[in-house]
Amino acid sequence: MSRFASIEQEINPQQINATSTTQQVPLGKIIRAEDKDTTAYGVGEFIYLKGVASTAVGSVVVYSSDDFGTALASANDVGPIATAMSACVANNFGWYQISGKGVAKVKASFADNGDVYLTSTAGSVDDADVAGDYVQGMKGASAIGTPDTGLAEMEMSRPSVSDGKDD
């Protein structure tokens, strides 16, 4: 799996793949970090958010720019999208990826280079076309199972979903 490390000038008190029961940095803070593992995903952007129940590594969330809370993304959601870097459950705090190459939970048979759509399974995405649930700024970069079971690599550029409201 990837091992992102901050490349910012300031010290980051919480590792990118860690969860904390106490808030370590301001909510909504965005930093850049580089993958230092053999996965070599390069540099990505990460936002510090509050967790939600049942979050696992790769869970796809929609988050609020009002209170920086998260909800596991599912069909018909609207808003900015991020992927969890840790099992950041309710009443915890952690980093979520918003740009660069990373991973997301996907449904069975997700194909390499697939377009990404929200599903009725909260926290997971698929490449099956669902009207209104296309995730802009997110594209599959591997098939399901890479780098691990139930995950696929993604290319992200501050993804969001509009539930077809701006079509």
Side-chain angles (χ1 to χ4, degrees):
M1 271 311 252
S2 59
R3 184 179 56 82
F4 283 93
S6 177
I7 58 173
E8 301 294 346
Q9 294 290 332
E10 61 192 78
I11 294 178
N12 177 21
Q14 185 173 331
Q15 292 184 2
I16 300 295
N17 63 348
T19 300
S20 179
T21 57
T22 59
Q23 184 179 331
Q24 301 293 311
V25 298
L27 290 171
K29 182 171 185 68
I30 295 174
I31 66 168
R32 294 172 305 133
E34 182 178 8
D35 184 7
K36 302 291 188 180
D37 207 338
T38 57
T39 45
Y41 288 163
V43 174
E45 283 184 307
F46 302 84
I47 187 169
Y48 197 71
L49 301 170
K50 291 188 282 190
V52 65
S54 303
T55 300
V57 171
S59 288
V60 178
V61 301
V62 62
Y63 64 93
S64 166
S65 296
D66 178 36
D67 66 359
F68 298 103
T70 59
L72 294 176
S74 63
N76 304 318
D77 275 344
V78 174
I81 298 289
T83 60
M85 297 303 294
S86 65
C88 188
V89 296
N91 302 314
N92 284 244
F93 302 89
W95 294 102
Y96 292 74
Q97 190 164 10
I98 56 173
S99 77
K101 188 172 181 182
V103 299
K105 289 178 64 175
V106 296
K107 302 286 287 173
S109 76
F110 187 88
D112 189 8
N113 296 317
D115 286 336
V116 177
Y117 297 86
L118 297 183
T119 72
S120 59
T121 303
S124 293
V125 293
D126 199 7
D127 58 355
D129 189 341
V130 179
D133 288 324
Y134 174 70
V135 180
Q136 297 172 332
M138 186 179 235
K139 180 97 171 157
S142 76
I144 188 172
T146 301
D148 209 349
T149 304
L151 298 173
E153 295 174 335
M154 296 287 160
E155 297 167 348
M156 294 175 268
S157 180
R158 300 214 178 177
S160 66
V161 65
S162 65
D163 194 30
K165 291 180 175 36
D166 62 353
D167 293 344

